[in-house]
Amino acid sequence: MQMPLIFDAHLDLAMNALEWNRDLSRPLSEIRQREMFMKDKPDRGKGTVCLPELRKGKIGLVVATQLARYTPAGSALPGWNSPQQAWAMTQAQLSWYREMERLGEMIQITNLDQLNSHLKLWENDTIDDESKAVGYILSLEGADSLVNIDYLYTAYEYGLRAIGLSHFGHGRYAPGTKMEGPLSDKGVELLKEMNSLNLILDVTHLTDEGFYQALDLYDGHVWASHHNVRQIVPNQRQLKDDQIKLLIERGAVIGGMLDCWAMDIRFIDTVSDPWQLDIRLEHLVDHWDHICQIAGNSLHIAIGSDLDGIFGTEQCPWDMNSIADLQKYTGILSKRGYSNQDIENIFSKNWLRFLNRAWS
Ligand SMILES: [Zn+2]
């Protein structure tokens, strides 16, 4: 079997470029080397993602985020002190994506025509993968930075196509992971406007209350970009079975993520070691299996790795050194009884089918 195309639906590329100061156009070894003596973040020298590695793993298409949180006074979470500062950060991130486009490293995908011609490029074996641009669909992880609804229209104009209302903490539009409670009035209003623009609603990072409320209120297309199974990892960040059922009914796809904390309940942030606990890539297949059992098919699972999402090799499966190792799932999934068709579905076809519906 030829190396299949992979679509990864959650990467914080611009955040890494700007807040971690990583030149993602360079080889991974070089990026790691430049961080050798840096101690400001726990994942220094342990990054797994850069554009050459994406190409090496035939990850030709990604959902790439803008991400900047607003933090009110007194909050323990890091973030920006005003929505305007958060917006400015997302504009810097956009500017980085544009620079990557100018270099031919990346190309923005905002509609089906662009998607189809991009897929043709990656299907073309006469062109070396190393010279192909990585396609990206722009998504906003946490809506805090939209100062008001007018900013949504500006964002749509520059190509934003998906929004998750919340991230961690309070959230101006909805409370996020580790919080409780419903969407704010602003959040309800934002959903209405998102509907009118046919944006994709990303339910990842919503509270339970926010999840049900958002699904009730939103008529548009819904996905869970990076989300595992609560039955296996019992914390609020993951999806309950009835939530998985609701998502399947809505035609959603759920991206499996590779943060050890979301894969195995034994893993404790900044304390545990993936080697000691023997957390391997295969652990994610347990989550995928669970969703397939509920769906009765392999049409709702996919990859939303979240790699380098404020963690590196210290917090991802020990048999993953770079994002190119996602290709190991071909062997892992066939060993677990998945057909080649299932593997193609998981690698790219499920997200692509979703986008064909959402954008037609
Ligand atoms: Zn996230």
Side-chain angles (χ1 to χ4, degrees), residues 10 141 167 205 226:
H10 195 80
E141 183 170 28
H167 190 220
H205 286 298
H226 56 304

Side-chain angles (χ1 to χ4, degrees), residues 199-231:
L199 283 166
I200 295 156
L201 170 66
D202 188 348
V203 297
T204 295
H205 286 298
L206 285 171
T207 59
D208 284 340
E209 209 176 322
F211 175 95
Y212 296 114
Q213 193 188 0
L215 280 196
D216 268 350
L217 291 172
Y218 202 63
D219 297 329
H221 298 274
V222 174
W223 70 24
S225 64
H226 56 304
H227 230 145
N228 289 353
V229 168
R230 200 180 300 184
Q231 184 82 19

